[in-house]
Every structure is written in C-alpha cells, then in structure tokens.
Amino acid sequence: METKFRLPVLEECAKVLLAAPNVVTKDVRKEAEKVFLEFRKTAFPYETCRFLLENSRNNFVQFQAVCTIKTSILREWTCLPTTTIEQLRLFLLNYVTTNLSLTPYVREEIFRALALIIKRGILNTENTTSSKIFDEVSQLMQTSNISLQLIACGLLTALLNEFSNHNKTCGTGFTWDFHSRCKLHFEAYHLHQTLLFTLQILNNIVQLTTPYSGDELLVVTRVLSLADDILHWTFLTPTAGRRCYVQPLDMLSDSPLAPPSTWLSTVLNPDFLKLFFKVYSKVHYNQDLSYHASRCVQQLATFDAEKSVLDVYYKSYVQCFKETISGLEIQEYDAVDIAETFHLIISHQESGIYEPSVISRMAAITCDFFCKAAAAEALNVDDSSSDIYNKASSRMLSVWAYSWCQDKDPLLYYKQIFEAYVKAHLHDGKPKDNCIDDEVDEDELPDKEKYSDQLEPIGYLASLILGHSLPILTRLIHLKTDRLKAELELVVAQPTNPSTREVLNDVYDDLHWLVLIATSILSCSKGERPVSIVTYMNSQGQQINTQLTQNLIIHPELSSSETVGTPGLCVVAQLVASVLRLFHVQSVAVMSNLAEYLSPQVDATCMYFMEKFTALYLMNEDEGLELSSRPYLPIYCVKSECVNHLVGRILEKIKVNLTVWSSEPDVVRESLNTLINLLSNKDVCKSVAVSTCFQSWIPAISENVFPFNSLPASGIRLLYEAVVSFLSNTCDVNSEYSHKVLVDPMVTFRQRLNSRKQLKLREDDSKLKEDALRFLEMLIGCCSALKCDMDVGLAVSDTFKAELLFRVVQNGVDTTGAILDVYHVDDQLVELSMEALYTVTNHLYFQFHKCETLCQAILKCLEVYVQHNPPGSKKATSKDAEFDDILWIIKLLDRMLTLDLFITEDGGHDPVTQKEQTEKITLAGIQTILPVIDSSLLQYSSLSSAYYRLLSLASSYSPQIIIEFHQPVWELILSSILLSLDSRYGSDAAKDGYEFLNKMATFIHQTQSHPLLDKSKLDVFLQPILNTMLFEPFDLDLTTIISHTLYYLIVLYPAKYNEMQSYILEKHKTEPHFDILHHYLSEFSSIASVTQSTNHHRTEMSKFTESVHSALLELKGLLCVT
C-alpha cells in the first residue's frame, strides 16, 4: 500500500472533505479531493480496498473504497482471472451481510458494485455468477432476519436499476449496444425469477398483522417498490434497433404491462391478481405503502395480450377490483389512484366493467368525490385536500363521459351524477368560501378554466339527458333569482342588516355555478352544436308551441320556476329565459342604486353563457340549426322578432355591465366578447345598427367619455375589435360612423402629439400619455379584427377593410413611431408600441404594395427605437420584464420574415419578387436591432429562444444578406451563436444555433467564395462542436444537425480541422478510448476530403452522419441522453 493511500491519510482527507467551509481552506480541500481521485486510478487496488473496508470506521472512506473497486474491476476486467472477480463479489456480499449497521449510502454503493459485476459478466457463457447471486438472494429472503431480507431486496433493486432502460447510474464504459444485449439476457433468464422472489415475499406480507412494526414496514416498502419496478418494466425486442432503446422517462412510465409468453402461466394464475389486491387492501391505510401498491394495481389493469387471454384476465381483474373497493374506506390519498384505476380498466378493456354492482359502486364513489371536494373547499383549511378530490372527480367524470359503449349508456347513473355535481356546488345551509367581498387573486384562473376538466365531461353527460338536466338547472336559476330579488328588497327595507350580505354571497355563488354548468351543457362540443342536443330538440320539435316559446324570450320577466316543464316550451329557450330574467332583476337593482350589492362574477358568467348561446344556436334562415322541425326557426332565426328582442336585451345588459363594472376586467372581457360574437353575423349587425342602445355608443366611443374612458386596457382592445367588426359588416368607406369612431380620434391625437413634439414640452402631460396608451390599445384592437378569407385564398376583399382600415393601420404605425420618439423613456409605452407593431405584422392581409408600405413604416419605427437605445444601453438586470420591448421586436421581425402575403390583383407584380422585397426590409430591421441586444440578455430563456429562432429563420431565407451585414454586426451574431452552443442555454437554442451555422456554411460552400469564407470566421466553431460531440453530454436529438454542421466546417476548413485533430489526440493519448478517437477523427477527415474534390456532397454527408452516430455509440453510448 502506497504511503499516501494508507488508512490514516485517507481518513484525514475524508475529514477535510466533510468539514464545514469555514474550517478548511479551498486549497486544502482540493488537495484532499486529489488524493481520492488518484486512489481511484490506482492499478489493481483490490487488496487495499479490502483492507480499508475491514479496518476503517469512516463512512466516506468505506464509500470511496467501494467506488474504487467498482471502477477498477470494470477497467481491468479483461486482465483479471475469473477467480479474482468471484472472490471480490463474495467479499462484497459477505461484507454487506455481516456488517448490518453500515451507513445506507455505503450499503447502496455495494449493491451497485455487485450489480455491475453481474452485468459485466452476464453474457459470458462460462460465467455462473448471475445464477449464484439469485441463489444467494433466495437464501437471504428465506431467513427470519429482517435486515438480511432488506439486503436481498436492496440487491434486487440494484439489479433492476442496472438493467433498466432508463439507467443513468453506470457511467463507466458500457455502450448502449452492450447494455441492450445484457438487458435482453436478464429479461430472458432472470427477470421472471425476480418477480417470483417478490411474489414470495408478498405472500408473507399478507400473513402479517397490521399495523406493521418498524422493521416490517421497511421490508414491505422495499418489496412493493420492487414489484412496482418489475410490473412497469419496459421489455426490449431482439429485433429492435439500437437507438430505439433510448427512450424518455415519461414514455417509459406509460408503457403497458406486456410481458413475454413465458410469464403467462404466472400472470394468468388467479392467485396472482388476488395477491396484489390483498396486499393493496392490507397496506392502503399507509400513504407511502399505498402509493406503490396502487401503482401495481393500476399497471396490472394495462395488461396486453391476445384477446382470448385478455377476456379471461380482465374478468378476473374486475372481480378482484370489485371485491376490493366494495368494502374499502377510500382515504384522501387513495382518491386519485382509485379514479385512475377505473380509467385504466375502461381504456384498456371495456368488457366486464358493466356489471351493475361495479357501475353502482363507481357512481357512488364519483358522487362521494364531489361531496368531499365541496366540503374541503368549504372548510378552506388546506387547498391540497380540495385539489386531490377535484382531480379525482375530474378523472371519474372523464371515465363516465368518454368511455362507455353507446349500447350501454347508464342513463340512470348519469342523472345521479349530474344531480350530485349540481348539489355539491350549491349552498344548502352550509358555509362556503366564496364571498364577493373577498379579495380576488389576480393570478387565479376563472372557474370556467380552473374546472374545465370537470365542466366539459359533466356538460357532455348532461347533454345526453337534456330533458332531465336543463329543467333542473332552469328551475334552480329561477329559484335563486327569486331569492336574489327578495334579498335585494330586504336591503332596501333594512339596509343595515349584516346578514343580508352573507346570504347574497351564497345566492351569487349558486347562480354563478348554475349558469356555468348550463353553459358547459350548451357548448360541450367545443365550437359546434352538440349532436345530442340537436337530436333531442328534433325529437321534441313537433310538440313545440312556437308562440308560447317566443313570448318566453320576449317577456322573460313573466317566467318563473312554475313555468318550467310546461308542455310546448323548448327546454333551451326556457334556460335562456331564466338567464334573461336574472338580467332583468339585476337591471332593476342598478336603477334602484343597489349596484354595490351585485356580483361581477355572476355578470361575467352570464355574459359567457350568452356568448356561447348566440354563437351556437342563432341561425340563418337557410341554416336550419340542423333541426328538421320548422317551429324552431321563429325562435332562433337571426331575422326573427324573438332574436331581435334577445339581441336588444343583451345589448342593454352589456351597457349596464360596462357602466357598473368598467373596472372589472372579467366582466368587461366577457361582455365585449359577446358583443364581438353578435357583430360577426351580418344579419345580427343589422339589428344592432338600428338599436337605440348601440347608436348612443358611437358618439361616446369617439369622444372617449364614460363608460368607455374607464375601460381596462384589454377592454379597449375588445371594444375596437367590436367596432371594426360592426363597421365592416354594415358601413361603407365614407360612412359617418367610420370617420367618427376611427379616423377622427386618430387624427386628433396625432395633431396633439405633433404639437407636443414640436414645442419640445418637458413637463409631464399625463392626459396625453393616457391618450397614447388608449391609441395603442385601439390600434391593437383594430388589427385584431382583421380576418383573411382562407377559403378563397384572397386578401381582404371587403371594401371597408381594404381601403379605410389600411389607412387606419398605416396612420397607426406612423403615429406609433412618433410615440416612440416622444415617450422613449417610458417603458410601458415603448413595450406597448412594440406589441402594437407586432399585432400589425400579424394581420397583414392587404395587397402587396400596401404590405410593403407598412413594413417600411415599421422599419422606421425600429430606427427610432435604436436611436434612443444605442448599443450597450440594454443590459441584463434582475427583472426579465424590463426587456419585453426587445422580445416584441424579435417576434415582429420573425413574423415579417415568415409573412405569407395574400396577393390580390396588384399590377402584375411577381409574388416571388414581392416576397424578396419584404425579406430585404425585414433583414434590414434585424441588422438595425441586433446591436441593441446585449449578450447578457440572452440568459433569459424567453428572449434567447426567440432570438435564436430569428437568426435561424434569417439564415434560411437569405444567408447572403446575413453574411453581408456590417462586420461589427456579423461578429455580434457569431459571439451570440457561440453562446447558444453552451448547454446552459438549452437544447432549443443549441438547435437554432447549429441550424444557423449549417445554413451559413452550406451557402459558403455552394458559392465557393473566398472573400465570404474569410469574412465568415466560422472556423472558430470547430473546437466547441468537437468538444460537445465527443466529450460532453448533449441531447442526442441534435446529432444529425451537429453532424451536418461539422461536415461543412471540415470541408471549408480542412487545415484547421487537422490542427484540432492533432490537439485532441495528443491530449487523450493515454486514455483507453484513444484508438476509437483516432479512428473516427481520421474517418471524418477522410469523408470530408472526398467532398472537397467532388460535388457529391449529399452522399458523403450521409456517410459522415452515419460515422458520427457510430462514434457516439462507441464513445458515449453508455451515457443516457440528458
């Protein structure tokens, strides 16, 4: 034993390494670390390691001794006699079984070392070590000593990890090809044996009494984890390709149970399934044990085999599952697992689950989850509890809604589930945390999004029982509206009564959920009329009393809960009437100065309901709602008196909402979305145009008076999107409306802005700044209203849009440039200006010459921005949001570069030439803006990903223009591309960086231009690319693009590559992989040299790529993709 590796020296070094930072210096710690690193490189250190393990009591020294054995035995495997390897294996096994008090991390490292020894020799036909280890494991398991049983489980776990598909623990020299052959051998001869060992212990576990003792609990945990790993094992096929073995972990975890045929006798044994369900019943009281047990039960539900085998298997599985859940008290942590098991049973095998007792229990569990989720939310103690039950409820609903065969729809259970869901969201004298006075978290999603995974399936279920579900909701909405009306009247009589507010909170929460559920029913087909609703309405068409139903819509205030179910009334119309009646009660309250007692949440939900209803159920005369019954046309036709009254009431409600709730973004958004939806229909627009309510809005919008001057930013956008939709459907170019609402306000603001600019006013003009913000929001809204007719492939043909709106947008872009000049120090206005310009580029549906004009105007805006933000003025700080303006600029340049122009008749211009013109403008913008983007900004992921994508796109469209950028700009690009190759910037940035280099190198090679070759300086990338490819972990998905890039760089710079080759080989001449390196580096050069002398570069590049793949398998195959 060398002096420096003696026990006292190593123990002293261990103390230094484990000491606190303030106890030892950095240099001393580094020297101690160096001793252990040198120790690992010692040749044949086995006797020394044995001595250290037998005599040292320092855990770290023991750990390092085991690591050294593990590393050395693999390095020196071919030099060691079989007897020496076997002695080492027996020593490690004996050491771990006789030293039961070992520190866990030392014990686990010994397990890993033993597993590696087994794996290294498993393919040797003369080696019997693998068989011996399983005999030894069997002996350990049969002992009554809990500690020895734990050792057996630990060793089996290490073996499973070592042979698994996702192993990342053994970076010591195996290729993926070798690993795969070992894995196939292990699966064929030992994995089934491991399963049998596990089943043996599980049988013992079932016999134990619960709760388990501390030692027993450890064994149970280990064994269940083993069973979990085995059942989730991903099997290889002998004919699979080498690369298919490398799979992402999330893919592996979703693999079904598909064992080989040799397992069938075990799996199809009735006692096999019964055992796992018995274990689950036994351990489900313990959350940690329940996790692994439930995963085993769920994976067993995914069993895949021939149909005849599956029928027998799933019959037994469903029977076991039924018996287990029938008497099971479901714990909170069990809820999601139970729901997931139902889902897996349904999705993998539908037959057998329809047994009435199973369906009944399933329905009861679903309803129970609803109640427990509601109770957890009502207590408002722990959000995690309600989240668990809500997740379980969502999963169960998805099972009910989407997994039943049509001939076995359990409609009675649908009714039970629907009623339970509605009841869970109502206040029946129970408290609930949902008060209108509470502060609302702005980051919290609205309920329609938060609970969408529940609302969608419950809406679908309810649509299948429409004659049952809609009357229930309609009646409840009427009853809650009656209660609201009574409470508001009580407020007038007793304004100081404190209990009134609490009651109102409950009523509003009930109304909110009732209307939300109703909306989910009517729109359960995501943008289409639900077939189930159309079918039901067709079946009831002959019984509809058209006049009576029309009166219900025209005079909703006369409807009540007593009218629900009246023969001859359409159930959908009754539901709409109940919401309109709620509108009426709210409007009366506003007129009675009771607006402060109303709920913005309810108003937002009601407008959401109207948005969906008007989009899906209003119809043109020739459309027929897909309904065969003519009685529905007078009710839902857009030209009918009934719809005119409906639109009028909706407009009145929108007006009230904007007046009362102008500061509530949700109410404003839903109200204006409903308005936009109405105005998208030309026939409805005609009704709106003659509406006195809407006519009064025109001067108020143009003059920017209340309530339109108090709308939030999102409201202004939607307002002008609605205005443009209205004008484009009803007005001509010179209409009074269009000038009042769009042209005049823009001209007036531009004049005021120019005056301020000319006078060089320095004082803060807050009013002008507010108008500038409004102007930009107005521009964004106008552009958002632009739509292109994709069906006919033409640019906007509508006269209004083609002429007036182009002038509006052009004026808007010019004015945005002036805003950037005047308010260049105002971050909010600068960022919003860039967003507005991006929105313009995102809606360039004009003729080419108009698009070119707008692109030139946008380029001028960017020049103004750069004028006030010279290079170096924008550097990284702690706030990512400060650079949103640059992010918007990158996005708009990206959009301009990828712009597909919808060309109309445009003076015979060639589309290709037109596209090149816009590309030149965009590339000029890129050259203008790049100096502003400091490299420190690229540490922000959102900015860097957009930046590198832009460079990649630019190199694809016009590499010649890119390489002819000014030299300082080109050098900035190269330095930023060099950063993208750093793994810290992510694989997306690296991919775009390599694509940029590939495009540029390909272009230079094709042009054979020596000046471009000298200017490009791409040779600086040879070293980092070679280092990444050969010696560093990287995403193997990038292999092809890296190989293509490297190929062209070697072709362009052969002398530089030869220099790099010599340097790498010299640096690694003492490494075991030197010969492999030398072979492939020479092969790379040989393939590239052929391309230099011929033009058959595609064939050679294909050979080069294959050579790179082979090199990676040889040099890095063992290391999993990271």
Side-chain angles (χ1 to χ4, degrees), residues 487-633:
E487 291 299 324
L488 291 174
E489 290 173 353
L490 188 60
V491 168
V492 176
Q494 302 176 11
T496 59
N497 188 344
S499 63
T500 304
R501 177 72 72 173
E502 296 178 6
V503 175
L504 282 173
N505 289 341
D506 292 348
V507 173
Y508 285 137
D509 192 52
D510 290 348
L511 283 169
H512 160 69
W513 274 102
L514 290 170
V515 177
L516 193 58
I517 294 171
T519 309
S520 70
I521 298 174
L522 296 186
S523 59
C524 64
S525 291
K526 292 186 177 180
E528 298 179 354
R529 296 167 186 147
V531 175
S532 54
I533 294 181
V534 171
T535 303
Y536 177 83
M537 294 176 72
N538 276 334
S539 68
Q540 301 294 312
Q542 299 301 324
Q543 305 170 23
I544 296 299
N545 186 320
T546 302
Q547 186 61 46
L548 195 61
T549 305
Q550 282 182 307
N551 290 337
L552 197 66
I553 299 292
I554 296 172
H555 305 290
E557 62 277 4
L558 302 179
S559 63
S560 67
S561 59
E562 296 178 357
T563 62
V564 178
T566 301
L569 293 179
C570 171
V571 290
V572 175
Q574 289 184 76
L575 178 64
V576 174
S578 69
V579 177
L580 291 176
R581 179 171 176 249
L582 176 57
F583 283 178
H584 175 73
V585 171
Q586 292 171 316
S587 298
V588 171
V590 171
M591 290 186 289
S592 301
N593 296 321
L594 297 176
E596 63 178 297
Y597 290 93
L598 298 178
S599 166
Q601 185 186 43
V602 172
D603 276 334
T605 306
C606 288
M607 295 314 299
Y608 175 61
F609 172 89
M610 285 300 174
E611 177 193 351
K612 295 299 182 182
F613 170 74
T614 54
L616 296 174
Y617 293 88
L618 298 189
M619 58 183 178
N620 298 320
E621 255 183 330
D622 56 347
E623 187 178 4
L625 188 62
E626 301 165 3
L627 298 173
S628 58
S629 303
R630 299 296 295 177
Y632 288 113
L633 281 174

Side-chain angles (χ1 to χ4, degrees), residues 20 59 69 97 138 140 168 178 197 384 392 396 432 473 598 639 679 712 786 815 833 858 875 877 933 969 1033 1046:
N59 297 331
I69 290 176
T97 54
S138 177
L140 291 173
K168 291 189 178 185
F178 178 81
F197 285 148
S384 63
M396 292 299 288
K432 202 169 184 184
L473 289 176
L598 298 178
K639 294 183 179 180
L679 298 176
L786 280 172
T815 305
S833 297
I858 291 171
K875 292 188 176 180
T877 65
I933 305 176
V969 177
L1046 180 62

Side-chain angles (χ1 to χ4, degrees), residues 545-790:
N545 186 320
T546 302
Q547 186 61 46
L548 195 61
T549 305
Q550 282 182 307
N551 290 337
L552 197 66
I553 299 292
I554 296 172
H555 305 290
E557 62 277 4
L558 302 179
S559 63
S560 67
S561 59
E562 296 178 357
T563 62
V564 178
T566 301
L569 293 179
C570 171
V571 290
V572 175
Q574 289 184 76
L575 178 64
V576 174
S578 69
V579 177
L580 291 176
R581 179 171 176 249
L582 176 57
F583 283 178
H584 175 73
V585 171
Q586 292 171 316
S587 298
V588 171
V590 171
M591 290 186 289
S592 301
N593 296 321
L594 297 176
E596 63 178 297
Y597 290 93
L598 298 178
S599 166
Q601 185 186 43
V602 172
D603 276 334
T605 306
C606 288
M607 295 314 299
Y608 175 61
F609 172 89
M610 285 300 174
E611 177 193 351
K612 295 299 182 182
F613 170 74
T614 54
L616 296 174
Y617 293 88
L618 298 189
M619 58 183 178
N620 298 320
E621 255 183 330
D622 56 347
E623 187 178 4
L625 188 62
E626 301 165 3
L627 298 173
S628 58
S629 303
R630 299 296 295 177
Y632 288 113
L633 281 174
I635 303 172
Y636 298 109
C637 179
V638 293
K639 294 183 179 180
S640 68
E641 180 186 2
C642 184
V643 170
N644 285 338
H645 277 84
L646 173 65
V647 170
R649 288 183 179 273
I650 293 175
L651 290 175
E652 289 290 344
K653 182 57 181 174
I654 292 174
K655 179 180 179 181
V656 171
N657 285 349
L658 297 182
T659 303
V660 176
W661 305 117
S662 60
S663 61
E664 293 287 341
D666 289 345
V667 183
V668 172
R669 181 183 64 253
E670 299 299 346
S671 299
L672 292 176
N673 277 334
T674 303
L675 180 62
I676 292 170
N677 180 64
L678 289 173
L679 298 176
S680 63
N681 187 302
K682 289 188 177 182
D683 290 322
V684 175
C685 269
K686 294 176 182 178
S687 299
V688 173
V690 298
S691 166
T692 55
C693 175
F694 191 81
Q695 286 180 348
S696 66
W697 293 4
I698 300 300
I701 294 173
S702 61
E703 296 169 13
N704 191 25
V705 297
F706 186 81
F708 302 107
N709 61 349
S710 58
L711 295 179
S714 58
I716 297 173
R717 296 186 188 190
L718 292 173
L719 174 66
Y720 278 92
E721 185 176 345
V723 166
V724 171
S725 297
F726 172 75
L727 296 176
S728 62
N729 281 328
T730 60
C731 306
D732 57 31
V733 174
N734 299 313
S735 73
E736 181 183 357
Y737 285 167
S738 62
H739 280 274
K740 273 187 178 181
V741 178
L742 292 180
V743 179
D744 294 346
M746 281 190 164
V747 172
T748 302
F749 172 74
R750 182 62 185 271
Q751 291 172 349
R752 291 174 58 206
L753 189 66
N754 288 340
S755 298
R756 185 187 189 282
K757 185 177 178 181
Q758 291 170 3
L759 296 174
K760 297 182 180 180
L761 297 176
R762 298 295 181 186
E763 66 275 9
D764 179 36
D765 187 349
S766 58
K767 181 63 172 66
L768 186 60
K769 179 182 174 180
E770 289 179 8
D771 289 345
L773 291 169
R774 181 182 177 83
F775 173 87
L776 293 171
E777 297 287 0
M778 172 183 172
L779 177 60
I780 294 172
C782 290
C783 291
S784 298
L786 280 172
K787 300 291 187 295
C788 179
D789 190 347
M790 299 294 290

